[in-house]
Amino acid sequence: MNESQVSEFLASLPPKPGAVVRSGDFPVGVIGLDHGHIGGMCAGLRAAGADIVLVYDRDTKKAEDFAAKYGAKVAQSAEEVLGHPDIRMIASAIVPWERGSLGIAAMRHGKDYFVDKTPFTQFEQIAEARQVCRETGRRYFCYFSERLHTESGILAGYLIDTGVIGRVLAVEGFGPHRIGAPEQRPDWFWKKRESGGILCDIGSHQIEQFLYYTGAKSARVDHARIANYAHPDYPEFEDFGDAALTADNGATNYYRVDWFTTPGLSNWGDGRTLILGTGGHIELRKFVNLASNGSAPNGEMVLWADEDGEHSVCARGLVGAPFFGEMILDCLEHTERAMTQAHIFMAAELCVACEAQAQVVSGNGILPLYHPTV
Amino acid sequence: MNESQVSEFLASLPPKPGAVVRSGDFPVGVIGLDHGHIGGMCAGLRAAGADIVLVYDRDTKKAEDFAAKYGAKVAQSAEEVLGHPDIRMIASAIVPWERGSLGIAAMRHGKDYFVDKTPFTQFEQIAEARQVCRETGRRYFCYFSERLHTESGILAGYLIDTGVIGRVLAVEGFGPHRIGAPEQRPDWFWKKRESGGILCDIGSHQIEQFLYYTGAKSARVDHARIANYAHPDYPEFEDFGDAALTADNGATNYYRVDWFTTPGLSNWGDGRTLILGTGGHIELRKFVNLASNGSAPNGEMVLWADEDGEHSVCARGLVGAPFFGEMILDCLEHTERAMTQAHIFMAAELCVACEAQAQVVSGNGILPLYHPTV
């Protein structure tokens, strides 16, 4: 693209999405406030026209504060929300290992489901959810926020669709996170069975992006590693993980996730996505533009090189988050605008597979030495 | 580091290296001009005080042009260079598969050896070179230019040594290259046996950097992939490769190399190195600062985050290339200032191992499908 073609591309973007339904058309009930992502999920739903009407959490105070913020009522039990006749969708950021069974219950109650990532922690849950989706016709959506709720992530998809970088060959994703004060983290955060492990939890974003940007329907996990380098007080915790996947269409992926963001970084993590095509490459600097010191926007940056040159666009304010409205319409009209159900389950299954296949790297360097072959 | 500590760090850097010997003290003979890297190798040698005195290449015209540029004489055979009594070192950028045997011959003639990367293409050559090093006491050096001859690469080492990013846990390297007009490439470039393959050839830079920045003595290859996505006219050619390694000290590596740099990029490749530590992270933008449009220096950038903030330094002109003088002193004084011989052979062996273990990814997407487990 030359500069005028970049301008044309930006001018041709879909209009920023607004509400797709009127108030009252899409009442949402919330069960489980364990992860803060529920805020982003509900903000997205409301911007698309949904109403948050009822909330349940084991922590009543938390439920009350949430209800006050969203103008919702507090339910006395999860069953009250599941059984409410007006509610179309259940949204949840419950502890990861409870997400699958809650989604299955929601679908069996005739509701669509929208859950924080990671959508599942066990293969068996995925198998059952696939079956219940088929039986009930309800949907199981997941909040893969690092693509769906970043404008750089959305703009990258539009850019790939123009063909300007050719066929996508490889996607590398980096998802570093800040851990903050350990005592501020809930107990489940440190337990592998409950959190799903690092590759399953924060790795799920990376796998979804790989499948999406490469247009893959399926992939295999070639190799995965997990480690606990620096958190000996939490022996089940994984502070580092990475994996390599190969897609059915021949595209490759590598991703690394970790909990080592330093307090000095200006945001919670220097998340990046590198996309290599036959005709160019794209880099996303999602949350921070490292050490740019105000000389460039701090995050939501889409940079790319194509046959005509190098380009940089800040996506902030350009494209919004079309996912939420598309998801609501998919629920109402039985379409697959936002994403296919198969895509969601494949991303879910691969992140569980990464965790299941992962080699444990010893943080103390007591690996068996490589034996020189010569 | 706060800003004054950054200034102190920069002020404390070793002085830029100059000549370590006087003219006549370190005569170098050159055999094999097949790769253009011989220019960088000889420039570095001369800046450190060496003289390029004699050159042989199968292509006489090429040898004559080279000799004229460096004030050297043209030899009639490789043997003439190897047997010249005044010559201390043989430098070579001969076709990769001939590098090992030439180095062994050089050492057997009592000369130290300095060869372009990749230093070897076969395990057997490494085994014999190890043996001949021990027998003769001569050295087998390699031009891992992406660290040794970039100031960002050198500065990153000094920065890690300060401890500011803590223990180095992971290094990810990206070495994209521009292929240019295929007809300008020599025949050997397309032949796997002669070039060594992409992981062995341009991957060797990446492995050396991984071992160096992590302080590892050894590593294992966990997984490697190669592909020919877009060059069907050259069936042996690999235009894409990547690999994951784990070091003896528990640090991890991923690297990707490819030949897909678009003509629109302002340099031959957007080479990056990402270094994750327990206390921060470093990014090197070695050859281009993608789409910076003059708002930042284009390449040789060292960016990092530590507990005090985010920092960015252009390394150009700050540290020079200490490797060359250190290598000359190592040869003269039988030290290991520049790098240990074990490090060079380990990097060499691992890049051959990557190539040997690599899975072939079908560029046409005819991979066996991942079979859902559920």
Side-chain angles (χ1 to χ4, degrees), chain B residues 213-232:
Chain B
Y213 292 134
T214 60
K217 296 269 181 289
S218 166
R220 68 176 184 224
V221 179
D222 289 317
H223 180 252
R225 289 182 286 213
I226 49 177
N228 181 340
Y229 284 114
H231 295 86

mmCIF file with all atom_site columns, all heavy atoms in Angstrom, chain B residues 213-232:
data_model
loop_
_atom_site.group_PDB
_atom_site.id
_atom_site.type_symbol
_atom_site.label_atom_id
_atom_site.label_alt_id
_atom_site.label_comp_id
_atom_site.label_asym_id
_atom_site.label_entity_id
_atom_site.label_seq_id
_atom_site.pdbx_PDB_ins_code
_atom_site.Cartn_x
_atom_site.Cartn_y
_atom_site.Cartn_z
_atom_site.occupancy
_atom_site.B_iso_or_equiv
_atom_site.pdbx_formal_charge
_atom_site.auth_seq_id
_atom_site.auth_comp_id
_atom_site.auth_asym_id
_atom_site.auth_atom_id
_atom_site.pdbx_PDB_model_num
ATOM 1   N N   . TYR B 1 213 ? 23.304 -14.922 25.739 1.00 0.00 ? 213 TYR B N   1
ATOM 2   C CA  . TYR B 1 213 ? 22.521 -14.062 26.629 1.00 0.00 ? 213 TYR B CA  1
ATOM 3   C C   . TYR B 1 213 ? 22.014 -14.807 27.867 1.00 0.00 ? 213 TYR B C   1
ATOM 4   O O   . TYR B 1 213 ? 21.738 -14.188 28.895 1.00 0.00 ? 213 TYR B O   1
ATOM 5   C CB  . TYR B 1 213 ? 21.344 -13.428 25.879 1.00 0.00 ? 213 TYR B CB  1
ATOM 6   C CG  . TYR B 1 213 ? 21.750 -12.417 24.839 1.00 0.00 ? 213 TYR B CG  1
ATOM 7   C CD1 . TYR B 1 213 ? 21.188 -12.435 23.565 1.00 0.00 ? 213 TYR B CD1 1
ATOM 8   C CD2 . TYR B 1 213 ? 22.693 -11.427 25.120 1.00 0.00 ? 213 TYR B CD2 1
ATOM 9   C CE1 . TYR B 1 213 ? 21.550 -11.501 22.603 1.00 0.00 ? 213 TYR B CE1 1
ATOM 10  C CE2 . TYR B 1 213 ? 23.062 -10.495 24.160 1.00 0.00 ? 213 TYR B CE2 1
ATOM 11  C CZ  . TYR B 1 213 ? 22.488 -10.527 22.905 1.00 0.00 ? 213 TYR B CZ  1
ATOM 12  O OH  . TYR B 1 213 ? 22.845 -9.609  21.957 1.00 0.00 ? 213 TYR B OH  1
ATOM 13  N N   . THR B 1 214 ? 21.843 -16.114 27.756 1.00 0.00 ? 214 THR B N   1
ATOM 14  C CA  . THR B 1 214 ? 21.385 -16.875 28.922 1.00 0.00 ? 214 THR B CA  1
ATOM 15  C C   . THR B 1 214 ? 22.546 -17.422 29.738 1.00 0.00 ? 214 THR B C   1
ATOM 16  O O   . THR B 1 214 ? 22.329 -17.970 30.818 1.00 0.00 ? 214 THR B O   1
ATOM 17  C CB  . THR B 1 214 ? 20.503 -18.069 28.503 1.00 0.00 ? 214 THR B CB  1
ATOM 18  O OG1 . THR B 1 214 ? 21.259 -18.931 27.649 1.00 0.00 ? 214 THR B OG1 1
ATOM 19  C CG2 . THR B 1 214 ? 19.254 -17.603 27.762 1.00 0.00 ? 214 THR B CG2 1
ATOM 20  N N   . GLY B 1 215 ? 23.758 -17.319 29.213 1.00 0.00 ? 215 GLY B N   1
ATOM 21  C CA  . GLY B 1 215 ? 24.908 -17.889 29.914 1.00 0.00 ? 215 GLY B CA  1
ATOM 22  C C   . GLY B 1 215 ? 24.892 -19.405 29.942 1.00 0.00 ? 215 GLY B C   1
ATOM 23  O O   . GLY B 1 215 ? 25.495 -20.030 30.816 1.00 0.00 ? 215 GLY B O   1
ATOM 24  N N   . ALA B 1 216 ? 24.215 -20.008 28.979 1.00 0.00 ? 216 ALA B N   1
ATOM 25  C CA  . ALA B 1 216 ? 24.091 -21.466 28.966 1.00 0.00 ? 216 ALA B CA  1
ATOM 26  C C   . ALA B 1 216 ? 25.357 -22.110 28.389 1.00 0.00 ? 216 ALA B C   1
ATOM 27  O O   . ALA B 1 216 ? 26.010 -21.553 27.514 1.00 0.00 ? 216 ALA B O   1
ATOM 28  C CB  . ALA B 1 216 ? 22.882 -21.882 28.136 1.00 0.00 ? 216 ALA B CB  1
ATOM 29  N N   . LYS B 1 217 ? 25.638 -23.280 28.887 1.00 0.00 ? 217 LYS B N   1
ATOM 30  C CA  . LYS B 1 217 ? 26.771 -24.045 28.373 1.00 0.00 ? 217 LYS B CA  1
ATOM 31  C C   . LYS B 1 217 ? 26.315 -25.053 27.325 1.00 0.00 ? 217 LYS B C   1
ATOM 32  O O   . LYS B 1 217 ? 27.108 -25.561 26.541 1.00 0.00 ? 217 LYS B O   1
ATOM 33  C CB  . LYS B 1 217 ? 27.457 -24.811 29.512 1.00 0.00 ? 217 LYS B CB  1
ATOM 34  C CG  . LYS B 1 217 ? 28.076 -23.914 30.575 1.00 0.00 ? 217 LYS B CG  1
ATOM 35  C CD  . LYS B 1 217 ? 29.522 -23.595 30.238 1.00 0.00 ? 217 LYS B CD  1
ATOM 36  C CE  . LYS B 1 217 ? 30.151 -22.710 31.316 1.00 0.00 ? 217 LYS B CE  1
ATOM 37  N NZ  . LYS B 1 217 ? 29.606 -21.337 31.287 1.00 0.00 ? 217 LYS B NZ  1
ATOM 38  N N   . SER B 1 218 ? 25.058 -25.379 27.385 1.00 0.00 ? 218 SER B N   1
ATOM 39  C CA  . SER B 1 218 ? 24.543 -26.475 26.576 1.00 0.00 ? 218 SER B CA  1
ATOM 40  C C   . SER B 1 218 ? 23.034 -26.308 26.473 1.00 0.00 ? 218 SER B C   1
ATOM 41  O O   . SER B 1 218 ? 22.431 -25.573 27.253 1.00 0.00 ? 218 SER B O   1
ATOM 42  C CB  . SER B 1 218 ? 24.914 -27.791 27.272 1.00 0.00 ? 218 SER B CB  1
ATOM 43  O OG  . SER B 1 218 ? 24.189 -28.863 26.739 1.00 0.00 ? 218 SER B OG  1
ATOM 44  N N   . ALA B 1 219 ? 22.445 -26.981 25.521 1.00 0.00 ? 219 ALA B N   1
ATOM 45  C CA  . ALA B 1 219 ? 20.987 -26.931 25.377 1.00 0.00 ? 219 ALA B CA  1
ATOM 46  C C   . ALA B 1 219 ? 20.542 -28.176 24.626 1.00 0.00 ? 219 ALA B C   1
ATOM 47  O O   . ALA B 1 219 ? 21.358 -28.915 24.075 1.00 0.00 ? 219 ALA B O   1
ATOM 48  C CB  . ALA B 1 219 ? 20.553 -25.674 24.633 1.00 0.00 ? 219 ALA B CB  1
ATOM 49  N N   . ARG B 1 220 ? 19.248 -28.387 24.620 1.00 0.00 ? 220 ARG B N   1
ATOM 50  C CA  . ARG B 1 220 ? 18.695 -29.457 23.792 1.00 0.00 ? 220 ARG B CA  1
ATOM 51  C C   . ARG B 1 220 ? 17.692 -28.832 22.823 1.00 0.00 ? 220 ARG B C   1
ATOM 52  O O   . ARG B 1 220 ? 17.077 -27.802 23.128 1.00 0.00 ? 220 ARG B O   1
ATOM 53  C CB  . ARG B 1 220 ? 18.009 -30.535 24.645 1.00 0.00 ? 220 ARG B CB  1
ATOM 54  C CG  . ARG B 1 220 ? 16.765 -30.039 25.314 1.00 0.00 ? 220 ARG B CG  1
ATOM 55  C CD  . ARG B 1 220 ? 16.016 -31.138 26.078 1.00 0.00 ? 220 ARG B CD  1
ATOM 56  N NE  . ARG B 1 220 ? 14.792 -30.541 26.582 1.00 0.00 ? 220 ARG B NE  1
ATOM 57  C CZ  . ARG B 1 220 ? 14.320 -30.713 27.806 1.00 0.00 ? 220 ARG B CZ  1
ATOM 58  N NH1 . ARG B 1 220 ? 14.941 -31.489 28.665 1.00 0.00 ? 220 ARG B NH1 1
ATOM 59  N NH2 . ARG B 1 220 ? 13.197 -30.122 28.186 1.00 0.00 ? 220 ARG B NH2 1
ATOM 60  N N   . VAL B 1 221 ? 17.537 -29.481 21.682 1.00 0.00 ? 221 VAL B N   1
ATOM 61  C CA  . VAL B 1 221 ? 16.547 -29.035 20.702 1.00 0.00 ? 221 VAL B CA  1
ATOM 62  C C   . VAL B 1 221 ? 15.246 -29.755 21.024 1.00 0.00 ? 221 VAL B C   1
ATOM 63  O O   . VAL B 1 221 ? 15.164 -30.977 20.959 1.00 0.00 ? 221 VAL B O   1
ATOM 64  C CB  . VAL B 1 221 ? 16.991 -29.367 19.266 1.00 0.00 ? 221 VAL B CB  1
ATOM 65  C CG1 . VAL B 1 221 ? 15.927 -28.925 18.259 1.00 0.00 ? 221 VAL B CG1 1
ATOM 66  C CG2 . VAL B 1 221 ? 18.334 -28.718 18.963 1.00 0.00 ? 221 VAL B CG2 1
ATOM 67  N N   . ASP B 1 222 ? 14.234 -28.987 21.390 1.00 0.00 ? 222 ASP B N   1
ATOM 68  C CA  . ASP B 1 222 ? 12.950 -29.599 21.743 1.00 0.00 ? 222 ASP B CA  1
ATOM 69  C C   . ASP B 1 222 ? 12.088 -29.843 20.522 1.00 0.00 ? 222 ASP B C   1
ATOM 70  O O   . ASP B 1 222 ? 11.344 -30.808 20.464 1.00 0.00 ? 222 ASP B O   1
ATOM 71  C CB  . ASP B 1 222 ? 12.187 -28.694 22.710 1.00 0.00 ? 222 ASP B CB  1
ATOM 72  C CG  . ASP B 1 222 ? 12.816 -28.671 24.090 1.00 0.00 ? 222 ASP B CG  1
ATOM 73  O OD1 . ASP B 1 222 ? 13.199 -29.756 24.573 1.00 0.00 ? 222 ASP B OD1 1
ATOM 74  O OD2 . ASP B 1 222 ? 12.932 -27.592 24.670 1.00 0.00 ? 222 ASP B OD2 1
ATOM 75  N N   . HIS B 1 223 ? 12.161 -28.922 19.570 1.00 0.00 ? 223 HIS B N   1
ATOM 76  C CA  . HIS B 1 223 ? 11.280 -29.022 18.411 1.00 0.00 ? 223 HIS B CA  1
ATOM 77  C C   . HIS B 1 223 ? 11.797 -28.096 17.329 1.00 0.00 ? 223 HIS B C   1
ATOM 78  O O   . HIS B 1 223 ? 12.322 -27.024 17.626 1.00 0.00 ? 223 HIS B O   1
ATOM 79  C CB  . HIS B 1 223 ? 9.849  -28.604 18.796 1.00 0.00 ? 223 HIS B CB  1
ATOM 80  C CG  . HIS B 1 223 ? 8.898  -28.682 17.652 1.00 0.00 ? 223 HIS B CG  1
ATOM 81  N ND1 . HIS B 1 223 ? 8.394  -27.573 17.017 1.00 0.00 ? 223 HIS B ND1 1
ATOM 82  C CD2 . HIS B 1 223 ? 8.407  -29.754 16.995 1.00 0.00 ? 223 HIS B CD2 1
ATOM 83  C CE1 . HIS B 1 223 ? 7.611  -27.972 16.026 1.00 0.00 ? 223 HIS B CE1 1
ATOM 84  N NE2 . HIS B 1 223 ? 7.600  -29.282 15.995 1.00 0.00 ? 223 HIS B NE2 1
ATOM 85  N N   . ALA B 1 224 ? 11.671 -28.513 16.092 1.00 0.00 ? 224 ALA B N   1
ATOM 86  C CA  . ALA B 1 224 ? 12.102 -27.661 14.974 1.00 0.00 ? 224 ALA B CA  1
ATOM 87  C C   . ALA B 1 224 ? 11.229 -27.959 13.769 1.00 0.00 ? 224 ALA B C   1
ATOM 88  O O   . ALA B 1 224 ? 10.726 -29.080 13.606 1.00 0.00 ? 224 ALA B O   1
ATOM 89  C CB  . ALA B 1 224 ? 13.569 -27.913 14.644 1.00 0.00 ? 224 ALA B CB  1
ATOM 90  N N   . ARG B 1 225 ? 11.034 -26.933 12.946 1.00 0.00 ? 225 ARG B N   1
ATOM 91  C CA  . ARG B 1 225 ? 10.220 -27.061 11.732 1.00 0.00 ? 225 ARG B CA  1
ATOM 92  C C   . ARG B 1 225 ? 10.922 -26.362 10.580 1.00 0.00 ? 225 ARG B C   1
ATOM 93  O O   . ARG B 1 225 ? 11.555 -25.314 10.779 1.00 0.00 ? 225 ARG B O   1
ATOM 94  C CB  . ARG B 1 225 ? 8.860  -26.349 11.918 1.00 0.00 ? 225 ARG B CB  1
ATOM 95  C CG  . ARG B 1 225 ? 7.915  -27.018 12.857 1.00 0.00 ? 225 ARG B CG  1
ATOM 96  C CD  . ARG B 1 225 ? 6.578  -26.265 12.951 1.00 0.00 ? 225 ARG B CD  1
ATOM 97  N NE  . ARG B 1 225 ? 6.716  -25.043 13.718 1.00 0.00 ? 225 ARG B NE  1
ATOM 98  C CZ  . ARG B 1 225 ? 5.754  -24.511 14.491 1.00 0.00 ? 225 ARG B CZ  1
ATOM 99  N NH1 . ARG B 1 225 ? 4.578  -25.101 14.594 1.00 0.00 ? 225 ARG B NH1 1
ATOM 100 N NH2 . ARG B 1 225 ? 5.943  -23.394 15.148 1.00 0.00 ? 225 ARG B NH2 1
ATOM 101 N N   . ILE B 1 226 ? 10.767 -26.890 9.402  1.00 0.00 ? 226 ILE B N   1
ATOM 102 C CA  . ILE B 1 226 ? 11.227 -26.225 8.187  1.00 0.00 ? 226 ILE B CA  1
ATOM 103 C C   . ILE B 1 226 ? 10.109 -26.305 7.151  1.00 0.00 ? 226 ILE B C   1
ATOM 104 O O   . ILE B 1 226 ? 9.264  -27.209 7.198  1.00 0.00 ? 226 ILE B O   1
ATOM 105 C CB  . ILE B 1 226 ? 12.514 -26.874 7.619  1.00 0.00 ? 226 ILE B CB  1
ATOM 106 C CG1 . ILE B 1 226 ? 12.356 -28.402 7.527  1.00 0.00 ? 226 ILE B CG1 1
ATOM 107 C CG2 . ILE B 1 226 ? 13.729 -26.514 8.455  1.00 0.00 ? 226 ILE B CG2 1
ATOM 108 C CD1 . ILE B 1 226 ? 13.543 -29.122 6.907  1.00 0.00 ? 226 ILE B CD1 1
ATOM 109 N N   . ALA B 1 227 ? 10.115 -25.351 6.232  1.00 0.00 ? 227 ALA B N   1
ATOM 110 C CA  . ALA B 1 227 ? 9.098  -25.361 5.180  1.00 0.00 ? 227 ALA B CA  1
ATOM 111 C C   . ALA B 1 227 ? 9.635  -24.680 3.931  1.00 0.00 ? 227 ALA B C   1
ATOM 112 O O   . ALA B 1 227 ? 10.556 -23.867 3.993  1.00 0.00 ? 227 ALA B O   1
ATOM 113 C CB  . ALA B 1 227 ? 7.827  -24.633 5.651  1.00 0.00 ? 227 ALA B CB  1
ATOM 114 N N   . ASN B 1 228 ? 9.067  -25.065 2.818  1.00 0.00 ? 228 ASN B N   1
ATOM 115 C CA  . ASN B 1 228 ? 9.238  -24.317 1.571  1.00 0.00 ? 228 ASN B CA  1
ATOM 116 C C   . ASN B 1 228 ? 7.840  -23.900 1.140  1.00 0.00 ? 228 ASN B C   1
ATOM 117 O O   . ASN B 1 228 ? 7.116  -24.653 0.504  1.00 0.00 ? 228 ASN B O   1
ATOM 118 C CB  . ASN B 1 228 ? 9.910  -25.184 0.498  1.00 0.00 ? 228 ASN B CB  1
ATOM 119 C CG  . ASN B 1 228 ? 10.120 -24.428 -0.812 1.00 0.00 ? 228 ASN B CG  1
ATOM 120 O OD1 . ASN B 1 228 ? 9.465  -23.412 -1.070 1.00 0.00 ? 228 ASN B OD1 1
ATOM 121 N ND2 . ASN B 1 228 ? 11.026 -24.919 -1.634 1.00 0.00 ? 228 ASN B ND2 1
ATOM 122 N N   . TYR B 1 229 ? 7.457  -22.695 1.552  1.00 0.00 ? 229 TYR B N   1
ATOM 123 C CA  . TYR B 1 229 ? 6.095  -22.231 1.307  1.00 0.00 ? 229 TYR B CA  1
ATOM 124 C C   . TYR B 1 229 ? 5.918  -21.664 -0.100 1.00 0.00 ? 229 TYR B C   1
ATOM 125 O O   . TYR B 1 229 ? 4.841  -21.747 -0.659 1.00 0.00 ? 229 TYR B O   1
ATOM 126 C CB  . TYR B 1 229 ? 5.722  -21.125 2.296  1.00 0.00 ? 229 TYR B CB  1
ATOM 127 C CG  . TYR B 1 229 ? 5.407  -21.584 3.694  1.00 0.00 ? 229 TYR B CG  1
ATOM 128 C CD1 . TYR B 1 229 ? 6.225  -21.235 4.752  1.00 0.00 ? 229 TYR B CD1 1
ATOM 129 C CD2 . TYR B 1 229 ? 4.279  -22.352 3.959  1.00 0.00 ? 229 TYR B CD2 1
ATOM 130 C CE1 . TYR B 1 229 ? 5.923  -21.631 6.059  1.00 0.00 ? 229 TYR B CE1 1
ATOM 131 C CE2 . TYR B 1 229 ? 3.971  -22.751 5.250  1.00 0.00 ? 229 TYR B CE2 1
ATOM 132 C CZ  . TYR B 1 229 ? 4.800  -22.384 6.296  1.00 0.00 ? 229 TYR B CZ  1
ATOM 133 O OH  . TYR B 1 229 ? 4.500  -22.777 7.571  1.00 0.00 ? 229 TYR B OH  1
ATOM 134 N N   . ALA B 1 230 ? 6.965  -21.038 -0.619 1.00 0.00 ? 230 ALA B N   1
ATOM 135 C CA  . ALA B 1 230 ? 6.716  -20.179 -1.782 1.00 0.00 ? 230 ALA B CA  1
ATOM 136 C C   . ALA B 1 230 ? 7.821  -20.231 -2.834 1.00 0.00 ? 230 ALA B C   1
ATOM 137 O O   . ALA B 1 230 ? 7.926  -19.316 -3.647 1.00 0.00 ? 230 ALA B O   1
ATOM 138 C CB  . ALA B 1 230 ? 6.516  -18.739 -1.299 1.00 0.00 ? 230 ALA B CB  1
ATOM 139 N N   . HIS B 1 231 ? 8.634  -21.267 -2.817 1.00 0.00 ? 231 HIS B N   1
ATOM 140 C CA  . HIS B 1 231 ? 9.720  -21.361 -3.794 1.00 0.00 ? 231 HIS B CA  1
ATOM 141 C C   . HIS B 1 231 ? 9.732  -22.734 -4.461 1.00 0.00 ? 231 HIS B C   1
ATOM 142 O O   . HIS B 1 231 ? 10.706 -23.481 -4.342 1.00 0.00 ? 231 HIS B O   1
ATOM 143 C CB  . HIS B 1 231 ? 11.067 -21.053 -3.117 1.00 0.00 ? 231 HIS B CB  1
ATOM 144 C CG  . HIS B 1 231 ? 11.145 -19.638 -2.631 1.00 0.00 ? 231 HIS B CG  1
ATOM 145 N ND1 . HIS B 1 231 ? 10.663 -19.267 -1.381 1.00 0.00 ? 231 HIS B ND1 1
ATOM 146 C CD2 . HIS B 1 231 ? 11.590 -18.507 -3.224 1.00 0.00 ? 231 HIS B CD2 1
ATOM 147 C CE1 . HIS B 1 231 ? 10.836 -17.960 -1.230 1.00 0.00 ? 231 HIS B CE1 1
ATOM 148 N NE2 . HIS B 1 231 ? 11.393 -17.464 -2.325 1.00 0.00 ? 231 HIS B NE2 1
ATOM 149 N N   . PRO B 1 232 ? 8.642  -23.054 -5.160 1.00 0.00 ? 232 PRO B N   1
ATOM 150 C CA  . PRO B 1 232 ? 8.528  -24.397 -5.747 1.00 0.00 ? 232 PRO B CA  1
ATOM 151 C C   . PRO B 1 232 ? 9.583  -24.683 -6.815 1.00 0.00 ? 232 PRO B C   1
ATOM 152 O O   . PRO B 1 232 ? 9.858  -25.855 -7.089 1.00 0.00 ? 232 PRO B O   1
ATOM 153 C CB  . PRO B 1 232 ? 7.114  -24.396 -6.343 1.00 0.00 ? 232 PRO B CB  1
ATOM 154 C CG  . PRO B 1 232 ? 6.770  -22.951 -6.536 1.00 0.00 ? 232 PRO B CG  1
ATOM 155 C CD  . PRO B 1 232 ? 7.459  -22.220 -5.436 1.00 0.00 ? 232 PRO B CD  1
#
